């Protein structure tokens, strides 16, 4: 029995009992509410679901690829028009035809070049499940610079057929500039696909196009070297580099060797 007037022990026992009951009640509430409010945890499934939602509603690449295929077909057809038709005097047709060797060589190089561009373009779009507005714009850049190729091809053939050394130098610099722009146009497309792997087909790794940047980058460097050597040394050196670049693109073309 406590001493009369000693209220301190009574309040201590009362407050201790109250805190214990309050703690038990809070624990019971948290256990009951726990399963209804799970904390979100980022995982692979969540990331995949977010990627699917990000491309929901975007068009498939078939229409863009069909448009591009038609453009490449027209570009290759226009190359034939750059072959000069000789206006030979009677009895000199054979001689005039042989004199057009530069037109034939320019046509062969440009035809193979555009064909390789189309193969790589086909390789890229075969691995896409969706396309967005940004990729459409980059694709227009690829097709637009490819459409310029018949112009420097004809200028180059004409300079070696009828022009002097200065004309030939100007022609190889023009060809190197436009072909370099063709290579530059692929860089933003590859970078965009690397940053947006949700546009790729599900079985492909996110970095499927990361290594592809090396090919156009090396082409830009070689075309720059060709322009410098063609202007300051001799135009035939530039023509040799042009042929080398086309061979390099053919040997490393994913559109030729990949079966995926």
């Amino acid at each position: 029995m406590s001493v009369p007037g000693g209220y301190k022990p009574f309040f201590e026992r009362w407050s201790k009992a109250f805190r214990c009951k309050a703690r038990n009640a809070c624990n019971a509430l948290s256990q009951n509410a726990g399963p209804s409010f799970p904390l979100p945890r980022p995982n692979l499934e969540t990331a995949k679901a977010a990627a699917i939602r990000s491309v929901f509603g975007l068009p498939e690449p078939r229409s863009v690829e069909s448009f591009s295929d038609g453009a490449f077909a027209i570009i290759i057809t226009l190359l034939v028009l750059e072959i000069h038709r000789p206006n030979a005097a009677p009895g000199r047709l054979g001689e005039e035809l042989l004199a057009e060797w530069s037109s034939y060589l320019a046509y062969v190089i440009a035809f193979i070049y555009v064909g390789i561009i189309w193969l790589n373009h086909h390789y890229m779009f075969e691995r896409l499940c969706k396309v967005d507005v940004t990729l459409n714009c980059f694709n227009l850049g690829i097709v637009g610079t490819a459409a310029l190729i018949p112009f420097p091809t004809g200028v180059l053939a004409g300079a070696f057929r009828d022009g002097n050394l200065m004309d030939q130098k100007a022609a190889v610099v023009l060809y190197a500039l436009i072909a370099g722009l063709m290579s530059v146009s692929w860089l933003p497309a590859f970078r965009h696909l690397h940053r947006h792997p949700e546009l790729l087909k599900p079985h492909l790794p996110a970095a499927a196009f990361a290594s592809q940047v090396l090919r156009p980058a090396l082409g830009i460097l070689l075309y720059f070297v060709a322009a410098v050597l063609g202007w300051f040394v001799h135009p035939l050196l530039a023509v040799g580099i042009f042929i080398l670049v086309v061979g390099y693109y053919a040997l490393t073309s994913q559109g030729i060797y990949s079966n995926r």
Side-chain angles (χ1 to χ4, degrees):
M1 185 174 179
S2 59
V3 180
Y7 296 104
K8 184 176 181 181
F10 170 77
F11 283 109
E12 288 180 353
R13 288 194 302 270
W14 182 84
S15 62
K16 183 178 180 180
F18 179 79
R19 288 196 301 269
C20 183
K21 290 182 179 181
R23 184 167 57 249
N24 293 336
C26 292
N27 290 337
L29 288 175
S30 62
Q31 289 177 0
N32 293 331
S36 302
F37 304 96
L39 293 177
R41 295 182 179 179
N43 50 37
L44 183 59
E45 288 73 16
T46 304
K48 289 183 178 180
I52 293 174
R53 289 194 300 270
S54 67
V55 298
F56 182 76
L58 292 178
E60 295 183 356
R62 288 177 295 182
S63 59
V64 180
E65 188 176 10
S66 298
F67 163 78
S68 303
D69 288 345
F72 284 121
I74 295 173
I75 294 169
I76 288 180
T77 303
L78 291 177
L79 291 174
V80 181
L81 301 179
E82 299 302 331
I83 299 178
H84 184 259
R85 183 177 179 179
N87 187 17
R92 303 197 56 174
L93 180 59
E95 180 182 346
E96 290 293 330
L97 287 174
L98 291 176
E100 296 296 329
W101 66 269
S102 60
S103 296
Y104 310 144
L105 179 61
Y107 170 78
V108 170
I109 296 174
F111 182 90
I112 296 174
Y113 188 33
V114 176
I116 294 170
I117 294 171
W118 173 77
L119 286 171
N120 284 279
H121 186 275
H122 181 70
Y123 167 84
M124 180 175 70
F125 273 82
E126 275 293 305
R127 279 141 188 82
L128 302 182
C129 63
K130 297 289 183 179
V131 292
D132 57 8
V133 175
T134 304
L135 186 59
N136 272 327
C137 295
F138 292 150
N139 180 68
L140 287 176
I142 294 173
V143 176
T145 51
L148 291 173
I149 292 178
F151 168 60
T153 300
V155 172
L156 187 65
F160 277 90
R161 181 182 62 245
D162 302 321
N164 56 20
L165 184 61
M166 290 303 299
D167 294 334
Q168 295 169 8
K169 288 183 176 182
V172 296
V173 170
L174 175 66
Y175 191 97
L177 176 62
I178 293 181
L181 288 176
M182 176 69 247
S183 297
V184 169
S185 65
W186 287 86
L187 295 178
F190 288 150
R191 183 180 180 186
H192 182 71
L193 291 176
H194 178 62
R195 297 178 61 184
H196 296 275
E198 66 273 8
L199 299 176
L200 307 181
K201 290 183 177 179
H203 69 279
L204 294 175
F209 289 98
S211 61
Q212 295 295 317
V213 176
L214 177 63
R215 298 176 67 247
L218 183 57
I220 296 169
L221 177 62
L222 290 175
Y223 283 126
F224 175 77
V225 173
V228 173
L229 293 179
W231 182 263
F232 293 102
V233 182
H234 199 280
L236 286 178
L237 291 176
V239 175
I241 295 177
F242 297 157
I243 298 175
L244 176 65
V245 173
V246 173
Y248 165 72
Y249 281 156
L251 292 175
T252 60
S253 175
Q254 294 292 338
I256 294 176
Y257 296 106
S258 179
N259 295 320
R260 292 186 301 168

